Structure formats: C-alpha cells, structure tokens
C-alpha cells in the first residue's frame, strides 16, 4: 500500500483573466518509509504540489490518497485529523520563527494548541530538542530566535515540525539559507530523524546536489508537469529528459565549470512540450504535448524516448 | 598593481545602546584584474564589507578604524561629495536579490537612461540610449526589453538588466553580493558564465561575495574566507581548495567534497565562550590558548591565515 498518493492532480490559478496552469496532470506515489525529492525551478509547480499533498490547497482535478484512503479531491477538503499527519519545515528558518516567543513556546505550540500542558508538554519539548541535538535543552528553552545561530534556528523549526509525530515531513528548500559547513549537519538531522520518527521525508528543492542524500526517488518538474521520475542516483548519473540534463549540468561543482544546456531566447512560446522554447534538442513533433513514457522504474515525458 | 587595499577595518553596528562588531581587523589586498571570492556564512560580515567599500553602510553602522584604499585614496575619510564621483564609476555593485532594485512602474530602458544621464550631466539623450543599448547587448538582452516593464522579464533577465546597469558607467571594480541567490540553478549558471565573460572581456577587477564556494571555484583566482567578521584564510583559489589550512576552511571543504560524493561528515560542537578565536566553539584542533584573543594574521607559504595552531613547527 502506498503511504501517500496523488492521482492526476491539476491546479490552476486565476488572476483577472489570466490563468496559470500550476499543475498539469501530476501523479506520484510514495511507499511507506520512502524519501522523495521534488526538483524544479521557481514556477515549476513544486511548492503548489507540496501544498496540495499536505492539504493546504485543494486540487481542481484529481485525488489524494493517504494510507489507501481518499482524503481529498476538488469537492472534499482534507480533514483535520489527516492534516495532522503532515508537517512542513519551511524554507527560511529566519522568518518562520516568531521573534517574540521562546524556543519552548515555539516548539511546544503544536501540542499546547491541542491542550497538552504541564509536565507532559515539558517532557515532549525537551525530548524533541534533544533529538535535534539542541542539548542540553535547558540551555535553549528560554532563548528567543534572535539569540540562536542560523543552524540552531533550523533545528528549532525541525523540532516544531516533529513534535506531534507526523507521518509525512515536507522540507521546503531546507538548505538554501545556510553555508556549506552547516549543510551536512542539517541534512544528517533530516535523515536520522525521518528514520527515527518513521516519517516519509519529501524534499522540495531547486538544487540537485541535495537530492541524492535526502531521497530515494526524484521527481523533476517543469512548468507544472512531471518531465522525469526515477531512482535519484540513476536519474543523476543518467538523466534522460533534456531539462533534467540541463539542470544537472548547471549545478556548480568544485572541479570544472557549469554548463548551460538551454537555448537562451527571450521568446516564451507556449505550446506542446513545456520545455519547447528552451530545449536544445527540440523537433517539429515537440509542438504537441509529449506523453509520459514508462521505462521500467523510470518515467520520462519526451519524444526522444 | 594593487587596486584595492583594505587595512585593519573595524565596523560596528549600534543597536539598543549595544555595539555589535560586524567586521573586525579585516585586511586584504586585491590586484588589478584579480577575481577575488569573499566566502563566509550569513553573519560573517561579508555584506558589511561590501557596503563599507561602496560607502553605503546603514546609519547605525560606524567604521571604527581602518582604511579602504582604492588606488591609494582612502574611501573611509573621503567626503561624500567625492565618494559620489567614484561610486558606480569606479566601483559598482550588484546587490543580493537586486532584481528588486528595478523600479516596477518604469520601463527598463528609461531607468537605465536616467542612471546614465544622472552621472553624466550634459550628455545627450541619444548618447545615453546608445550606451544603454550596448550595455544590454553585453548581457545578451535585446533592444526590445527597453520598452518592457520589470514584471515582464524573467528573474534571470532582470538580473542581467541589473548587471547591465552596473556596467553602464564602465567601472574598474565590480562587487557582486550573492548575485544568484534568488535564481534557480539553470539561470544561476547563465549569470555566472555571463559575469565570467564580462570580467575577462573588460579586464574588470571582481569581488564576488557568496556563502557557496562551489559557485566561485572556477570563477575566481583568489579567495578570502571570512568567519566572525574577519579574514580566516586568504590565498590563491586552487591552493586553498586543494590544501585548506584554517580549520574552518578545512571544514567547508570536507563538507563540500563529502556532499559531492554523497557522504555526510559531522562536527562536534562545544559551548561558545564568546571570546578568543571566532571559530573556537566549532574547531576540533582548538587549544586553551585559542581562547585568549583574536589570533593574529600570519603568512604561511602563499596564504594568510589566522590560526594559532596551524603551521607551527
């Protein structure tokens, strides 16, 4: 049984008479204990997909299943009990922590709002703080966010997300704001805690370099569509879709230069394949929308395959 | 020839009657035509340094002591009227998320023309238009964007327009402060390659500020690693990457090499004592004397390193 599944999700946003297709026929399944990465640039729909997965938005078409049970569709909002199985660590730990609340209040809030208090609350907060390695907890509970370093703030955000025992933990660009020397700590924390707490980790990122560490499987999105999906390491070593290839070639490395594998045109032709206007390998055929091809444990949406 | 020479710079921020040291005893030199990477985590003082060079520090910041010599002239003591002649003409800067620096209600072209005319009193509008068109061409933008509003451009196009603006007055030195932060990876690659080309075509001196060494590894020939407001290690890029000397630089390289191989290496944190070497609480080589004060800068081969423990004996 899949832990979480989205089936043929479509989502449009309208402003005035402009309609944007944020998600176009997106389907993903997540096995129990599996870690997934959703990779794509800004505007690719990855954040919208994540918000729909955890019930913060409703799809225009399609359904969401949790542990085999349908929990949301265009007409049904996700119920509170199900929503409590999901949790999010947002992108910027500097902005998601209330500056006038102590670490204790911030981390304990998801429980205190549900009526947990006193010794029980204290125990839960101290235990999760130990788990995110803010030890000894006594040292941190009465601090304000401004008294913490960037890495410590990120830990507080993770502790708050885990305290009520969610089944799915969503990490939205978990490492963009921190420097390399702290990156390893934060990534390790996500990994260790997702096994310890038995949560499915879903990471949203535009940075392919963290995907192989944080995920078993990766979904590459472009303009609201899944263009490629597969086991992370396979996709990374042998990307099939021209967009995935461009994305991986553009990751800066210590050795060698970044490569630009896209057309640099200012036209924004909207037709057929979402990658049409920037694809270095486009053909006449690509003016039609390519279907998703199944290639064993991988999927790719491109006429080359 | 040394174009920029920063000597013992100290900058503090005043807030609620307290003073916070943002830049401490910072010294470095940049030779004409060099590309220098300034690498450090958030809070390491790298943006404060850039703002001090530009003379654009916020009002609560004070340059306590030190000199910033640009071609021998001290910018710290220079009156604002003189600095104004240098800013953008000799030293230009591309800010963090500077896409937001464009005025949303004015067409891109007229913003750039206005900028040119402001600094070149008496110049004709045709001349300005011609210069703007050339600057846009340099950054691979077509003439047509002059008639567009910022919201009609993608993030990468806006960043290119801002780079065109910074080049408009033909500066000798370009400061780029995390110029790719808000951009996705493919667009980031586009901007990095663009900066690299412009720097080499124009013989610009570049100061590239970032928290990510991978960005600058192939872009810059020199590197200064900052921590706690000061320079921890500086030297030629290749050498520093291959054999980092300061424990903080070593830590950075260990993590980056590990990440590229899909491996995570962790460090043991100690209680921060709030004095001595800024890296003390995270340093695995620390000794008791490291708590005594900010270590002095020393030359070790082709490096300048601030560490008591390294390079002895």
């Amino acid at each position: 049984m899949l832990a979480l599944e989205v089936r043929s999700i479509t989502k449009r946003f309208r402003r005035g008479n402009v309609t944007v297709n944020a998600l176009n026929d997106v389907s993903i399944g997540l096995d129990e204990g599996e870690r997934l990465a959703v990779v794509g640039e800004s505007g690719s729909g990855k954040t919208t997909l994540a918000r729909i997965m955890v019930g913060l938005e409703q799809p225009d078409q399609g359904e969401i299943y949790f542990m085999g049970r349908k929990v949301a569709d265009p007409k049904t909002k996700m119920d509170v009990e199900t929503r409590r199985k999901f949790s999010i660590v947002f992108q910027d730990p500097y902005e998601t922590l209330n500056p006038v609340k102590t670490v204790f209040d911030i981390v304990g809030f998801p429980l205190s709002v549900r009526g947990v208090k006193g010794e029980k609350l204290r125990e839960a907060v101290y235990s999760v703080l130990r788990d995110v390695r803010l030890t000894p907890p006594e040292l941190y509970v009465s601090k304000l966010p401004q008294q913490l370093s960037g890495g410590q703030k990120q830990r507080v955000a993770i502790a708050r997300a885990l305290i009520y025992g969610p089944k799915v933990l969503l990490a939205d660009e978990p490492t963009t704001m921190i420097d390399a020397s702290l990156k390893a700590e934060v990534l390790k924390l996500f990994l260790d805690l997702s096994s310890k707490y038995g949560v499915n980790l879903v990471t949203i990122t535009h940075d392919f370099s963290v995907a192989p560490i944080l995920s078993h499987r990766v979904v590459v999105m472009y303009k609201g569509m899944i263009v490629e999906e597969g086991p992370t390491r396979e996709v990374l070593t042998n990307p099939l879709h021209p967009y995935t290839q461009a994305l991986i070639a553009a990751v800066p490395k210590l050795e060698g230069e970044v490569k630009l594998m896209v057309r640099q045109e200012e036209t924004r032709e909207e037709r057929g394949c979402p990658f049409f206007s920037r694809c270095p390998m486009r053909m006449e055929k690509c003016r039609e929308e390519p279907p998703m091809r199944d290639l064993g444990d991988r999927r790719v949406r491109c006429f080359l395959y | 020839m040394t174009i920029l020479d920063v000597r013992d710079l100290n900058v503090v921020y005043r807030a609620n009657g307290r003073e916070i040291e943002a830049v401490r005893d910072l010294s470095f030199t940049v030779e004409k035509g060099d590309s220098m990477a300034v690498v450090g985590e958030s809070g390491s003082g790298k943006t404060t340094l850039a703002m001090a060079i530009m003379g654009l520090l916020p009002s609560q910041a004070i340059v306590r002591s030190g000199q910033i010599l640009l071609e021998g002239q001290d910018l710290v003591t220079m009156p604002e009227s003189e600095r104004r002649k240098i800013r953008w003409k000799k030293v230009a800067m591309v800010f963090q998320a500077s896409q937001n620096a464009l005025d949303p209600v004015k067409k891109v072209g007229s913003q750039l023309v206005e900028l040119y005319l402001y600094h070149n009193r008496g110049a004709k509008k045709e001349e300005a238009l011609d210069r703007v068109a050339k600057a846009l061409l340099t950054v691979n933008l077509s003439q047509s964007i002059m008639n567009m509003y910022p919201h009609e451009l993608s993030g990468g196009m806006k960043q290119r327009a801002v780079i065109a603006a910074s080049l408009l007055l033909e500066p000798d030195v370009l400061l780029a402060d995390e110029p790719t932060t808000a951009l996705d990876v493919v667009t980031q690659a586009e901007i990095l390659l663009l900066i690299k080309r412009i720097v080499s075509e124009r013989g610009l001196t570049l100061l590239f500020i970032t928290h990510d060494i991978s960005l600058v590894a192939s872009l810059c020939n020199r590197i200064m690693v900052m921590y706690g407001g000061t320079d921890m290690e500086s030297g030629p890029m290749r050498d520093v990457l291959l054999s980092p000397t300061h424990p903080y630089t070593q830590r950075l390289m260990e993590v980056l090499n590990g990440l590229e191989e899909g491996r995570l290496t962790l460090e043991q944190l100690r209680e921060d004592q709030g004095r001595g070497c800024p890296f003390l609480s995270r340093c695995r080589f620390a000794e008791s004397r490291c708590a005594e004060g900010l270590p002095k800068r020393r030359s070790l081969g082709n490096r300048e390193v601030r560490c008591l423990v390294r390079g002895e004996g």
Side-chain angles (χ1 to χ4, degrees):
Chain A
M1 184 174 63
L2 293 169
L4 181 65
E5 188 188 4
V6 300
R7 269 189 217 162
S8 310
I9 295 282
T10 296
K11 179 77 181 174
R12 293 181 207 91
F13 290 109
R14 285 181 203 87
R15 185 179 286 169
N17 44 16
V18 184
T19 305
V20 180
N21 277 316
L23 293 175
N24 193 347
D25 191 19
V26 170
S27 301
I28 314 174
L30 193 61
D31 279 324
E32 183 100 23
E34 189 174 45
R35 293 193 295 270
L36 181 77
V38 182
V39 180
E41 57 188 47
S42 42
S44 64
K46 58 188 194 302
T47 302
T48 305
L49 172 63
R51 290 175 62 87
I52 288 178
M53 281 169 109
V54 300
L56 289 174
E57 301 256 3
Q58 258 178 294
D60 291 334
Q61 281 166 40
E63 290 137 11
I64 296 136
Y65 292 80
F66 178 66
M67 305 307 282
R69 187 171 61 89
K70 186 161 96 177
V71 290
D73 63 23
K75 293 204 183 75
T76 337
K77 255 192 164 167
M78 199 179 279
D79 60 285
V80 177
E81 273 316 303
T82 309
R83 271 220 308 268
R84 286 183 180 171
K85 301 287 182 206
F86 302 118
S87 185
I88 310 183
V89 175
F90 291 99
Q91 202 170 125
D92 187 350
Y94 297 81
E95 282 180 11
T96 56
L97 304 180
N98 188 335
V100 298
K101 296 267 192 221
T102 63
V103 168
F104 187 92
D105 289 342
I106 292 170
V107 173
F109 183 73
L111 289 183
S112 61
V113 77
R114 283 162 216 180
V116 181
K117 54 190 172 210
E119 189 54 25
K120 222 175 159 198
L121 179 64
R122 202 190 73 96
E123 229 164 70
V125 170
Y126 277 45
S127 141
V128 76
L129 284 178
R130 268 184 220 109
D131 282 340
V132 297
R133 294 197 211 104
L134 288 173
T135 45
E138 295 80 12
L139 206 66
Y140 296 94
V141 279
S142 50
K143 286 197 175 176
L144 295 172
Q146 61 175 37
Q147 297 169 294
L148 303 173
S149 71
Q152 290 169 343
K153 279 185 207 154
Q154 185 69 291
R155 281 160 207 259
V156 169
I158 298 171
R160 172 179 60 182
L162 286 174
I163 195 166
Y164 58 96
K167 282 297 286 179
V168 177
L169 177 64
L170 197 77
D172 190 359
E173 302 277 11
T175 59
T176 29
M177 304 296 291
I178 51 181
D179 89 356
S181 73
L182 298 169
K183 219 171 182 175
E185 256 78 20
V186 170
L187 294 177
K188 183 87 166 84
L189 210 54
F190 272 109
L191 279 188
D192 290 353
L193 294 178
S194 60
S195 345
K196 177 166 182 184
Y197 282 72
V199 298
N200 285 283
L201 184 63
V202 178
T203 307
I204 302 168
T205 180
H206 71 279
D207 178 2
F208 230 116
S209 68
V210 301
I213 288 171
L214 286 185
S215 69
H216 306 111
R217 226 146 47 84
V218 65
V219 167
V220 182
M221 296 197 63
Y222 192 76
K223 289 194 182 163
M225 280 188 181
I226 294 180
V227 294
E228 182 160 1
E229 188 202 329
T232 309
R233 287 188 188 270
E234 274 178 52
V235 172
L236 198 66
T237 47
N238 179 27
L240 298 176
H241 197 281
Y243 175 64
T244 319
Q245 292 170 359
L247 206 55
I248 291 168
V251 175
K253 285 181 271 310
L254 292 170
E255 282 299 326
E257 278 212 53
V258 292
K259 284 195 221 65
L260 200 56
M261 291 171 57
V262 294
R263 287 173 194 256
Q264 278 185 286
E265 284 160 23
E266 283 154 37
T267 53
R268 292 194 182 172
E269 251 177 300
E270 299 277 355
R271 60 176 99 193
C273 174
F275 195 49
F276 183 82
S277 65
R278 291 167 83 196
C279 184
M281 285 173 247
R282 70 182 175 212
M283 312 170 274
E284 211 28 57
K285 205 181 188 176
C286 304
R287 291 179 188 278
E288 289 159 40
E289 193 179 293
M292 186 66 96
R293 310 260 171 192
D294 262 304
L295 308 164
D297 59 350
R298 297 180 67 172
R299 289 194 292 164
V300 60
R301 199 187 274 276
C302 178
F303 284 117
L304 290 172
Y305 303 94
Chain B
M1 194 189 83
T2 302
I3 189 163
L4 185 66
D5 184 355
V6 175
R7 292 187 190 167
D8 301 318
L9 187 68
N10 282 283
V11 183
V12 297
Y13 284 94
R14 259 198 204 135
N16 308 324
R18 285 198 309 154
E19 281 191 355
I20 297 156
E21 294 180 296
V23 171
R24 302 160 70 189
D25 290 341
L26 181 70
S27 296
F28 65 97
T29 58
V30 183
E31 299 297 307
K32 195 168 168 41
D34 264 352
S35 287
M36 166 98 123
V38 179
V39 175
E41 56 181 34
S42 52
S44 63
K46 51 197 199 306
T47 297
T48 303
L49 166 67
M51 291 306 199
I53 295 171
M54 288 301 287
L56 294 173
L57 284 171
S59 56
Q60 67 271 29
I62 303 151
V63 178
R64 256 288 126 76
S65 59
Q67 292 178 304
I68 301 173
L69 302 170
L70 181 72
E71 291 177 328
Q73 277 187 296
D74 187 6
L75 299 179
V76 173
T77 52
M78 189 179 279
E80 176 59 24
S81 57
E82 289 297 306
R83 286 200 84 146
R84 217 172 282 158
K85 292 177 192 158
I86 287 177
R87 196 180 296 141
W88 306 119
K89 287 187 190 171
K90 278 200 176 285
V91 189
M93 181 163 171
V94 177
F95 297 94
Q96 226 173 101
S98 57
Q99 300 94 304
N100 305 333
L102 295 169
D103 186 335
V105 296
K106 282 187 188 156
K107 288 178 178 170
V108 176
S110 63
Q111 293 188 45
L112 297 194
V113 166
E114 195 179 296
L115 175 71
Y116 185 82
L117 291 177
Y118 180 83
H119 288 274
N120 292 278
R121 296 285 157 86
K124 290 217 173 65
K125 193 160 181 214
E126 289 72 48
E127 180 192 325
L129 279 169
D130 184 53
R131 287 299 191 89
V132 169
K134 279 188 182 137
L136 289 175
L137 203 64
T138 316
V139 297
N140 301 328
L141 286 174
S142 75
Q143 305 282 335
S144 62
I145 80 138
M146 288 176 72
N147 287 317
M148 287 166 123
Y149 290 96
H151 77 265
E152 295 177 90
L153 309 182
S154 68
M157 288 160 79
K158 273 188 265 188
Q159 189 62 302
R160 281 187 272 158
V162 168
I163 292 173
S166 72
L167 297 173
L168 204 52
L169 305 172
E170 306 195 329
D172 302 320
V173 181
L174 184 66
L175 304 183
D177 185 8
E178 305 266 15
T180 62
T181 321
L183 305 173
D184 64 80
V185 182
V186 177
T187 312
Q188 167 173 279
E190 196 179 288
I191 298 296
L192 288 177
L193 293 171
L194 174 69
I195 291 176
K196 185 165 191 169
R197 176 171 60 76
I198 291 169
V199 163
S200 87
E201 274 174 13
R202 302 198 167 198
L204 283 179
T205 305
L206 175 71
L207 234 69
F208 194 107
I209 296 170
T210 179
H211 68 278
D212 186 354
I213 293 190
S214 328
L215 283 189
V216 285
S218 68
L219 177 68
C220 297
N221 64 336
R222 297 190 62 80
I223 180 171
M224 171 167 72
V225 179
M226 289 184 71
Y227 195 85
T230 196
D231 49 296
M232 290 280 125
E233 175 164 4
S234 44
M237 178 69 80
R238 281 283 107 199
D239 297 336
V240 173
L241 294 191
L242 287 175
S243 62
T245 301
H246 194 282
Y248 174 55
T249 324
Q250 285 186 335
R251 177 69 196 141
L252 279 173
M253 295 310 298
E254 190 181 85
V255 173
L256 284 171
N257 285 316
L259 285 177
E260 287 195 0
E261 292 156 19
R263 203 161 32 80
L264 295 174
T265 54
L266 299 183
E267 67 184 10
Q268 204 56 52
L269 293 181
R270 262 192 302 257
E271 181 77 30
D272 196 346
Q273 311 200 352
R275 62 200 166 88
C277 174
F279 193 57
L280 182 57
S281 67
R282 294 173 57 191
C283 184
R284 71 192 122 150
F285 304 105
E287 299 171 3
S288 55
R289 60 190 165 137
C290 299
E292 280 161 21
L294 183 63
K296 287 202 169 52
R297 186 183 309 105
R298 291 186 300 148
S299 288
L300 291 172
N302 58 6
R303 314 285 168 78
E304 299 274 317
V305 182
R306 259 185 211 278
C307 180
L308 296 175
V309 180
R310 291 280 115 178
E312 285 203 333

